[in-house]
Amino acid sequence: MAAPGVEARALFAEGVRAVLGGWAALQLAVAQGFGGPQGPEKAAWLSSALLDFFTQNADLEQEEVEDFLAEVMDNEFDTVVEDGSLQQVSRELVTLFARARGGDVGGVGAALGALARRGPALAAALATARPGGDPQSPPGTPPTAPRSPRERREEEEEEEESGEEEEEAMECGTPPPPSDGWTVVQRRRRR
């Protein structure tokens, strides 16, 4: 798409916005504030950056788009996407680009229609999602958002610290502290 037609570029821009609007990982990252207070602006920037990326690089492969998206999600939203959606989103973007560049207005329109139908379903799924996909979770529980690498490190450090405390307690002959973090203090006996 070295010299894209105005109509093809507009169709592709609309497709990029629709694909990103239906990408759950990005929407959760924005909703949970992983991009900081500028999260919505960063998501809008990603749309224009993708348009420029495709415009400036002819014949992009799906893997190149995946790498670009993964880097942006990690750098801008501090999020590592491991749910397979990177592959799906990049495949949709490459397909839309090929159709728009080829002037297949009907194909792009059909793809946009499918994406538009998926949007409300995504919103409903995000609103009713339960942590970890556990159907036993009580209704109204907020959805589990993708965790940032920083959050994962903090959780691992907390688990290591609690494991060390239990080992020390076992060596001293005292029972390990309860999992809730509270310690029961016994009265001293008078002599």
Side-chain angles (χ1 to χ4, degrees), residues 69-159:
L69 290 171
E71 186 176 334
V72 168
M73 289 298 288
D74 188 28
N75 293 338
E76 299 298 329
F77 294 98
D78 202 21
T79 302
V80 177
V81 181
E82 298 175 334
D83 63 353
S85 64
L86 277 173
Q87 293 83 9
Q88 179 185 1
V89 167
S90 60
R91 183 176 39 246
E92 289 174 350
L93 289 170
V94 169
T95 302
L96 278 173
F97 179 72
R99 287 181 177 171
R101 182 175 60 181
D104 183 8
V105 177
V108 174
L112 289 175
L115 289 169
R117 286 189 297 276
R118 189 170 70 186
L122 171 67
L126 290 175
T128 60
R130 291 174 177 75
D134 183 13
Q136 302 301 324
S137 298
T141 306
T144 302
R147 294 179 300 151
S148 70
R150 186 178 312 125
E151 291 172 332
R152 283 188 234 145
R153 281 192 301 273
E154 291 171 0
E155 288 177 7
E156 289 172 3
E157 290 171 2
E158 290 175 6
E159 290 174 8

Side-chain angles (χ1 to χ4, degrees), residues 55-67:
T55 303
Q56 295 170 359
N57 299 293
D59 300 324
L60 283 172
E61 296 291 326
Q62 179 179 334
E63 293 80 24
E64 294 171 309
V65 179
E66 284 176 36
D67 291 343

